Amino acid sequence: MPVSSSSLPFLAAILALGAAIVPATAGDKTLVWVDGGGAYHDTVQKRVLDPWQAKTGIKVVSVAGTDNAKLRAMVEANRVVWDVYNGDNTWGTEADGEWLVPIDYSVVPKDEIIAGFAGKYRVANMIYSIQLAYNTDKVTTKPSGWADFFDLEKYPGKRAVMDYSAGGLFEIALLADGVAPDALYPLDIDRAIAKLDTIKPSLVFWQSGAQSEELVGSGEVSMVMTYNARAYDAKVALGLPVDYIFDEQILAAAYLTIPKGSRNVDDAMKLIAFAVSKPINETMSADLPLGPSNVNASPSAKMAPDLPSSHLDMPYAVFDDQWIAENSKMIESRYQAWKSAQ
């Protein structure tokens, strides 16, 4: 497969990385795991990779910093040096199939994964969500869903939203407008925009999770749509006047995939199976407010109340990642046109 011109800037870095981590001999056992970095990266090392190495004797080099374009470039150049790629919910749908190895569900326990979170090319290892968080100094009556996020009379103050077209903004608008969580897709963009227009002058757009914490924690905004882990961090780690609800959360996941061209597919598949197995998958929540994807997992009792997967008795939605992938250009175009309109 030819390399696209947009992929060329990545190739020098890919080759340099390959020289640094490819085993010296064919008999060496070394896998390369890639994830998003930060506290999640540290927890994966501690809870998944170190136990795997101790059990199997197979070394894993852990790389922080996912990059979908770089992965595509590796595959197209036939220079794949990554084996397990731990991406977010935007990656690994069938739209990305030409760059990925199908998951072997004779090895990976599909029947143990929460329904809807095991696909042809990816399997979830941790569940997170988009949720409503609020400043407890500004909001004294607990909100009960996204309709309250849009109710500026009952809940005065500015609102902060993610500056990302596929991050859930249209979804929360539709939920606030009365669309049932299981009837969101295909998204009615016109209806969502009409709802967003009702609070547009009061919106603040955030570009990073840390910024979302600061906006709501400082009281600059009364409410924010944010990642559940960021809301938890603001409240617990930073001690800010912040609380959050799980009503009408939108579930997403961190997904494990294998790049096509990996020279260690069999071992990579076994590592994925290990990562999503009950005894390993349930340990991740001891460090982070991320829910296990394995239905048999028993997460940390201390963390359980703050996990998205502990609140599935409440109304919740799930991102339709396949539909979003197939319509991403349209979604982005509509979002940018709406945002720039006066």
Side-chain angles (χ1 to χ4, degrees), residues 20-78:
I21 63 179
V22 171
T25 70
D28 289 338
K29 286 280 191 177
T30 302
L31 301 181
V32 180
W33 172 292
V34 185
D35 60 45
Y40 180 82
H41 178 79
D42 297 337
T43 296
V44 166
Q45 184 69 53
K46 175 183 177 182
R47 302 291 182 179
V48 180
L49 304 185
D50 288 347
W52 163 263
Q53 292 179 147
K55 179 180 179 179
T56 66
I58 299 174
K59 182 181 179 182
V60 181
V61 174
S62 181
V63 177
T66 53
D67 189 325
N68 298 348
K70 185 178 288 188
L71 186 152
R72 295 187 188 101
M74 285 184 181
V75 174
E76 292 172 2
N78 196 27

Side-chain angles (χ1 to χ4, degrees), residues 157-195:
K158 291 186 177 295
R159 308 294 197 256
V161 296
M162 189 186 309
D163 190 12
Y164 176 43
S165 61
L169 183 60
F170 291 140
E171 285 86 345
I172 69 168
L174 292 172
L175 289 169
D177 204 40
V179 176
D182 61 356
L184 282 176
Y185 299 93
L187 295 178
D188 186 338
I189 303 294
D190 289 336
R191 182 173 175 178
I193 286 175
K195 187 65 174 179

